[in-house]
Amino acid sequence: MVDFNPSQRNLVGIEHDRVTNVSSTDFPGYYPGEDHAWNLDKFKENFKIQISYLTDLSSSFDLVGVDASIANAFRRIMIAEVPTLAIEYVYIENNTSIIQDEVLAHRLGLIPLKANPDYLRWFKKDDPDIEPTDYDTVVLHLSAKCTTNPSAAPGTTDPKVLYNNANVYASAIQFEPQGRQAEWFPDGITLANPDILIAKLRPGQEIDLTMHCILGIGQDHAKFSPVATASYRLLPTIDIIGPPLTGDLAQKFKNCFPKGVIAINSKGEAYVKDARKDTVSREVLRHPEFDGRVRLGRQRDNFIFTVESTGAMTPDEIFIKSVQLLKKKCQILRKFNLRA
């Protein structure tokens, strides 16, 4: 067996001019001369998910005890493979606004829709003989016409007061259930943000169109991606070496880090209050008085995820679906391997 401190191996070293201990192995967690056979009990003991905050649109959580390949698989699946509903076909009956038909259709396609996709099937776009059905297509309608407001006060210059439907918002889009869709979507197809501006109209201008929505994934088009961003970073580590830093030295040390990372206790000694807030700018390594007094690093198996949803579904739902999809991929791969 190789005499090596596993806790140090699990840290990526941050120095003033380089990053150390970044080399990987052929297989995650494998090192020559050591026994690293897969152990489910050990994995359960080390694996955990810690949620920092969770709202309808954003979340932050720690994924601990997995390899970078697994963490990155979740990130990529959330961005590109979680299916959502989006506008794909726009049939324009009338458009006398200043926005061209193609631009208007593109703007409509980027509006996030809130709907449970589990009831729908994939629409086969490549088959010209396939007709839309209530199982694979959702129909929306938008109709808006701008007219002069006869009750507007003299001298008013605000278009919203002078005209009716001067601004057309996403809230004007209406859901037209087909077949059993009224049963499947009792609350209708809602919009993630009804205040999205679609177009500005003036008297005599009109928009009248029908939209067909289908299932899709971000790999096909960004409008199907349920996340505005999904990213992760490794948990920073900060170790103060040697005697405590006190007095002006402690204050200077504190100022080298973002707010909330370092604090000073009642004895006037600097201590690490919350390392996860550190951006690893390495500012502290620029000062010679801290040479050899601090060790910066990142924990290799602690991933801080940040997920911002478009509103199509909540961040926790997006992550759960990514886990289900990765599990399905593994089952398919295992099935083919058994056949081979």
Side-chain angles (χ1 to χ4, degrees), residues 51-66:
I51 300 176
S52 298
Y53 68 85
L54 174 63
T55 66
D56 290 340
L57 292 178
S58 63
S59 69
S60 177
F61 61 91
D62 285 34
L63 188 64
V64 185
V66 298

Side-chain angles (χ1 to χ4, degrees), residues 7-21:
S7 63
Q8 293 300 317
R9 174 183 288 136
N10 200 34
L11 295 177
V12 176
I14 307 295
E15 300 184 8
H16 72 283
D17 58 347
R18 60 177 180 157
V19 179
T20 63
N21 197 24

Side-chain angles (χ1 to χ4, degrees), residues 26-44:
D26 293 337
F27 303 97
Y30 169 77
Y31 296 90
E34 301 180 24
D35 182 13
H36 288 281
W38 169 256
N39 187 303
L40 181 59
D41 293 332
K42 183 178 180 181
F43 174 77
K44 289 181 178 180

